[in-house]
Structure formats: structure tokens, C-alpha cells
Amino acid sequence: MTSLVIAEHDNASIKGATLNTVTAAAACGGEVHVLVAGHNAGAAAEAAGRIAGVAKVIHADAAYFEHGLAENVAAQVLALAGDYSHILFPATASGKNIAPRVAAKLDVAQVSDITRVDGPDTFERPIYAGNAMAVVQSGDSVKVITVRTTGFDAAAASGGSATVQKVDAAPENGKSRFVGQEIAKSDRPELTAAKVIVSGGRALGSSEKFNEVMTPLADKLGAALGASRAAVDAGYAPNDWQVGQTGKIVAPQLYVACGISGAIQHLAGMKDSKVIVAINKDPEAPIFSVADYGLEADLFQAVPELTAKL
Amino acid sequence: MKVLVPVKRVVDYNVKVRVKSDQTGVDIANVKMSMNPFDEIAVEEAVRLKEKGAVTEVIAVSCGVTACQETLRTAMAIGADRAILVETSEELQPLAVAKLLKALVDKEQPQLVILGKQAIDDDCNQTGQMLAALCDVPQATFASKIEVADGKARVTREVDGGLETLEVSLPAVVTTDLRLNEPRYVTLPNIMKAKKKQLDVLKPEDLGVDVAPRLKTLKVTEPPKRGAGIKVPDVATLVDKLRNEAKVI
């Protein structure tokens, strides 16, 4: 029984979500191998070898792996799949994109977004926006899984000394082409990995107000900025700040929700945070039912005051 | 060109579901059901492509119980031309649905299949990708913009950290993200017209697909409840509690 973790990387370094996925893979039992499919990704492969608990790194290099197109990466995983009992991806945009493609080609069911490993074939996963937890058992010979990163601790990024084995790249699919990207630049911690998140909702009223009120608080706390869908749809914050069922799932030490009512879909993305603070002027807002500390106040006064007092 | 749009009947997104006391599942008897929100976006996009002249026919498909016909009528009221229901009372998992859709793709030969990125009940986010794999066509998931021209689709995708643009050759599978469009409201005249549109009913056996579930659900439980919190009177108390009680700042 051996597990294969598909590393998420930017060709130079390994992304944090990979570390949580390694922990989940170790929980499935057996050795853990990591696949780094990339372009000039030697540095990422070496970094993968240093992750504690990893026995072997498989490195496939080809120009067409550079942007992680699903068709090409899935082909590479399939070329290796015969040796593994478990194939695990982080449940990130990239992992969710590729994993079902691999599962369908192997004719096995995929288990999405697992939050716990109960046994080599039994996993827990949230359904209905996290309002119920299902324990599912897979009878398939290979388990293809995506791992909710907030459900597992990160494996140590150093201390391992796995060998890096180069393999031939699977042939290019050629039916899709990367055209370009717009990646939002930010000096802040990554949303899904941040210890503290301050999040704003529709009540902020405009993107100027969002920046004016929320940014100083985030700076003071060294926090990542998040937003509700209402704030994102209204254009107050960029799409990739959205926290919720259909955005990012986060579980920081401290989550400060400002002017967010707390719809089911938003709670699905943050209710596993250790401490939740809600600032809202509506005493009936559902967010208060999950908040450890609720402050019933106008956020335009309370948030600057909070920033000043920290 | 033809577009196929699979739609799913799910518990309405405003309903707070309850877990059954015997832990076998979620109680969906007598709760409001609607079209999965991402699928509404998919139907809207297909209809907009038709209105632009890029598409000639939009076919809505649903798999599941007889009541899914209502969901298909809604899709036709938005503007789908006809509908197909693959009727079964079995529990359907994404792999089975992808296989049923593959059989329909072989039959109808659409150039584009537009699905929602995930269903809000099982939260799987698999079917589109699985269908693309089974048909051996390219995929563009989590789309926030779709342009179709010259046998290709140029799709902007929402990825972690921002946006990414891909070009895929047709036929292809696209899954929709929330920001692709704002679905229109269906009007009464269109609801009436939708009742007259063609709706074919098939069985999984007609398509030669085995839909037996591959994952067994052992139990379904309530998520852990959070302890009741407190309301603080002012910012000073809040800061004090965070510092000295929760020790998170």
C-alpha cells in the first residue's frame, strides 16, 4: 500500500497545501510518494524531498507541465497510477480540476474534500455546505481523493531526505493551451494559510471603504483579507478573497467578520476557525450564532477603534 | 452547433438541512427543491451563446427521479430548446452521471457541454471533469468568461490567486463559476411555452450504463456544534477578551 501525493507548486517552490495533503496521505497508511510535474521544477522537487514523511519524489519535467493543465497532468498521474493504492490531491482549484479526470480514467469514484481519514478506505467529508458530515467507504481498488487542507495539520517542510527520481514525461495532450493569467499581487499571508483573517461584507458599501476600513486592521494583525460573496459580487473585493462554500475554505486562529450577516454559504467556509469575532449592527444577524465574541456596533466606528486599540 | 447543459435538482440553497436521527442521511422529505444555482448559470450561458448566434440548439439534461422534469421545464423556460431526462430512482454519484452524460454526448454530438462547477448538495465538484475525461475532450473548469469562435473556446477561469485564461479545442466541457453571469428570471409566458417543448425520458438501461453507487455512505452526522459565544459591550472589552481570554492576538 503506497500513496501518491500530487504536489501543488509554482515550479520553484512547493505550496503549503501540499504539506497538509502529505499528512492525510500518511494517515492512509503505507509509504508516501510525491509527484512533481512541472517545467524546470528541480527546486520544487528538491523541496518536496525535504518534507518530513515523504519516502520518494517523482519528478516529471516538460514544458507543457508549466501551467498545470488538467489534461497533461492527469496523463502523467495515470502513467504512474498502477503502483499506488491512494492518489491524493490538495482540494485547491488545481487539485479539484485534475483529480476527477484521473478518477474517471481509472473508472473509480473520487472522494472530494476529505476532512478525516478513518481507515485506508473510509473517509469523512462535509456535504450540504458543511451542514452534515458523511462517512464514506470506497470499494474501489485505487482511492482518488482531494484533501481539505484545513482538516489536516501541515507536515514539516524540512527533516525529510527522500530521493528524487526522474521519470519520462507523459506525452502532451495538445487540446488545450494556456493563454495568460492575472494573478493578484499581495504582500499579505495567503488566505488559506493565514493565522488571522479579517473579512468584510456588503455593509462596507464600496471598494474604497473596504480598503479604508479593513486594510489598516489587517495590517495591524498581520492578517489576510477575506470577503463575503456579497462584497465580491458588488466589486468591493477581488474574487479570490471570497470565503465560503464556493470560495476558499479557511480555519485560522482568529476570524474577524465585519458587516457579514452569516449566510449558510459563508459559514461553510469559516466555521472551523478557532475564534470567531463578529462586528455587525444587526443583533439578529446569523453570524452571532457562531461568533465567540460578538460586538453589536456600526463597523465604521468599531473597526477603526479596534485598529487603534491593538 | 449544439450545446448540452446538464442540470441537477437539489435542496434549495436557502434551506438549512437537518440530519436524520438514524444517521442514514439528510432529511429532504417536504423541503423545497430547486435547480442547482451553478446549473442555472450554465443554462443562462448556453442561452446567451444562442442569442449571440454562436449556438443553434440548447439541450437540457437531468438524471434522477421523475420530479427532475420540473427542473428541466425551468431550464426550458430560461431558453433551452428541448430536454432529456434519464429517469432512475437509484442514488446517482458523479461517476454514474458522467457515464450517462457520456452516452448522451455520443448520441447528440454537442460541441460544448456546460455544467455547473459543483452541486450544492454533495459538494463534489467532479462531474464535468469526469465527463471530459470519459469523452477524451479538453476541459475548462470554474469559468467566469466564455468566448466561442473558430472551433475553439477561450475561457477565463477563477483559480486560487486570480484568473487564468485557456484556449480549448471543441468539442469541450466547461463548468461554470458564480461570476460567469446573472441568470435571468423566468417569465410566466416562457413558463407556459416551456410546457409545450419536447421532453424525452430515457432509462439508464437504454443508454447501457450501470449506475450502481461506488461509494458507500456509512453514516451522516451533524457537524460539531460551536459553544455559545458572548456579546461584548464595546471595543475595549473585545480587545481585552482576545488578548487575555482567547489569547489569539
Side-chain angles (χ1 to χ4, degrees):
Chain A
M1 208 166 65
T2 313
S3 299
L4 181 66
V5 170
I6 316 308
E8 176 140 342
H9 63 88
D10 57 6
N11 293 308
S13 61
I14 294 287
K15 297 216 176 148
T18 311
L19 304 175
N20 309 80
T21 311
V22 166
T23 303
C28 295
E31 272 192 11
V32 178
H33 296 181
V34 174
L35 169 68
V36 177
H39 182 46
N40 294 330
E46 274 175 39
R50 287 192 295 272
I51 301 172
V54 173
K56 185 162 101 176
V57 175
I58 298 165
H59 179 201
D61 208 290
Y64 47 82
F65 288 145
E66 185 173 1
H67 301 290
L69 294 177
E71 296 78 10
N72 295 330
V73 178
Q76 183 64 54
V77 177
L78 288 164
L80 302 166
D83 299 335
Y84 296 96
S85 59
H86 295 74
I87 301 177
L88 300 96
F89 296 75
T92 55
S94 164
K96 289 177 186 173
N97 190 28
I98 305 166
R101 210 173 161 102
V102 171
K105 288 276 192 196
L106 293 170
D107 193 28
V108 301
Q110 187 219 300
V111 193
S112 292
D113 238 350
I114 63 163
T115 47
R116 199 175 70 207
V117 176
D118 285 353
D121 62 354
T122 311
F123 312 95
E124 182 194 69
R125 59 178 302 263
I127 53 175
Y128 287 92
N131 285 305
M133 307 302 289
V135 177
V136 296
Q137 187 174 39
S138 162
D140 289 317
S141 55
V142 185
K143 280 76 175 166
V144 178
I145 295 164
T146 61
V147 176
R148 178 170 290 195
T149 53
T150 57
F152 297 87
D153 295 332
S158 61
S161 54
T163 50
V164 177
Q165 183 196 346
K166 281 239 179 197
V167 296
D168 291 337
E172 186 179 7
N173 176 285
K175 286 179 182 163
S176 62
R177 189 170 69 83
F178 174 84
V179 178
Q181 61 185 7
E182 282 172 57
I183 296 299
K185 286 209 169 37
S186 168
D187 301 331
R188 297 187 182 286
E190 198 194 338
L191 190 56
T192 51
K195 291 247 180 324
V196 180
I197 295 173
V198 298
S199 213
R202 200 207 307 263
L204 282 147
S206 70
S207 65
E208 291 75 31
K209 284 283 176 199
F210 197 102
N211 284 329
E212 187 185 314
V213 176
M214 301 303 292
T215 310
L217 178 61
D219 287 340
K220 260 287 172 52
L221 288 166
L225 277 164
S228 70
R229 180 187 167 190
V232 170
D233 280 353
Y236 306 164
N239 300 347
D240 60 308
W241 288 9
Q242 186 186 323
V243 171
Q245 182 185 18
T246 62
K248 303 259 165 65
I249 312 285
V250 299
Q253 294 289 306
L254 173 62
Y255 187 91
V256 185
C258 307
I260 293 177
S261 64
I264 299 171
Q265 292 79 12
H266 185 77
L267 300 184
M270 43 65 82
K271 66 186 164 76
D272 293 326
S273 306
K274 186 158 169 275
V275 175
I276 298 173
V277 171
I279 301 176
N280 205 306
K281 65 179 175 191
D282 173 11
E284 303 297 324
I287 190 81
F288 286 124
S289 68
V290 299
D292 299 280
Y293 303 108
L295 176 61
E296 197 186 309
D298 182 359
L299 71 93
F300 292 108
Q301 282 160 17
V303 175
E305 196 185 332
L306 175 61
T307 310
K309 283 207 161 67
L310 288 168
Chain B
M1 108 178 172
K2 265 194 217 178
V3 178
L4 197 70
V5 188
V7 294
K8 184 174 185 183
R9 176 176 179 266
V10 297
V11 171
D12 188 85
Y13 71 98
N14 280 316
V15 173
K16 188 161 180 349
V17 295
R18 279 177 203 289
V19 172
K20 287 190 207 164
S21 53
D22 63 358
Q23 301 195 333
T24 53
V26 162
D27 193 3
I28 57 167
N30 305 317
V31 302
K32 187 183 174 207
M33 306 292 279
S34 326
M35 190 189 296
N36 180 40
F38 290 99
D39 303 349
E40 266 186 81
I41 295 171
V43 177
E44 174 69 33
E45 192 66 19
V47 172
R48 286 188 191 186
L49 286 170
K50 189 181 170 194
E51 287 165 351
K52 273 190 229 159
V55 163
T56 50
E57 188 181 30
V58 177
I59 309 163
V61 180
S62 193
C63 305
V65 295
T66 316
C68 295
Q69 290 197 13
E70 292 162 25
T71 316
L72 290 170
R73 292 288 172 203
T74 307
M76 289 192 283
I78 298 172
D81 297 291
R82 63 185 169 95
I84 303 170
L85 171 63
V86 183
E87 193 181 308
T88 172
S89 50
E90 283 254 10
E91 178 204 344
L92 290 175
Q93 293 179 348
L95 184 62
V97 175
K99 285 179 177 177
L100 292 170
L101 295 174
K102 156 82 163 75
L104 290 174
V105 165
D106 289 345
K107 210 165 133 183
E108 299 283 349
Q109 298 287 324
Q111 288 294 294
L112 199 57
V113 184
I114 309 180
L115 304 88
K117 84 164 174 183
Q118 76 188 54
I120 59 166
D121 52 359
D122 60 19
D123 281 333
C124 275
N125 194 334
Q126 300 174 4
T127 310
Q129 295 92 313
M130 287 183 153
L131 176 64
L134 296 176
C135 297
D136 215 3
V137 300
Q139 67 188 44
T141 50
F142 326 145
S144 60
K145 191 176 172 198
I146 304 174
E147 292 165 305
V148 179
D150 307 327
K152 288 191 172 119
R154 188 172 274 232
V155 179
T156 302
R157 306 177 56 227
E158 295 201 4
V159 294
D160 299 334
L163 299 170
E164 171 185 283
T165 304
L166 298 183
E167 194 173 78
V168 294
S169 60
L170 300 180
V173 171
V174 176
T175 73
T176 63
D177 214 321
L178 280 173
R179 275 161 288 274
L180 180 60
N181 61 45
E182 188 83 30
R184 69 193 70 183
Y185 286 104
V186 294
T187 60
L188 188 58
N190 285 342
I191 292 172
M192 301 310 286
K193 269 184 232 162
K195 288 187 179 163
K196 298 202 182 77
K197 291 184 181 175
Q198 181 188 348
L199 194 162
D200 299 320
V201 180
L202 300 172
K203 297 273 179 196
E205 304 84 70
D206 302 334
L207 298 167
V209 175
D210 172 18
V211 295
R214 305 285 279 272
L215 286 179
K216 199 165 118 192
T217 301
L218 301 181
K219 65 171 178 179
V220 175
T221 54
E222 295 264 357
K225 287 253 185 312
R226 289 190 75 92
I230 55 162
K231 279 215 179 164
V232 293
D234 52 36
V235 172
T237 319
L238 175 62
V239 172
D240 175 63
K241 294 271 187 201
L242 289 177
R243 269 210 182 107
N244 301 318
E245 197 175 275
K247 296 191 172 45
V248 284
I249 54 172

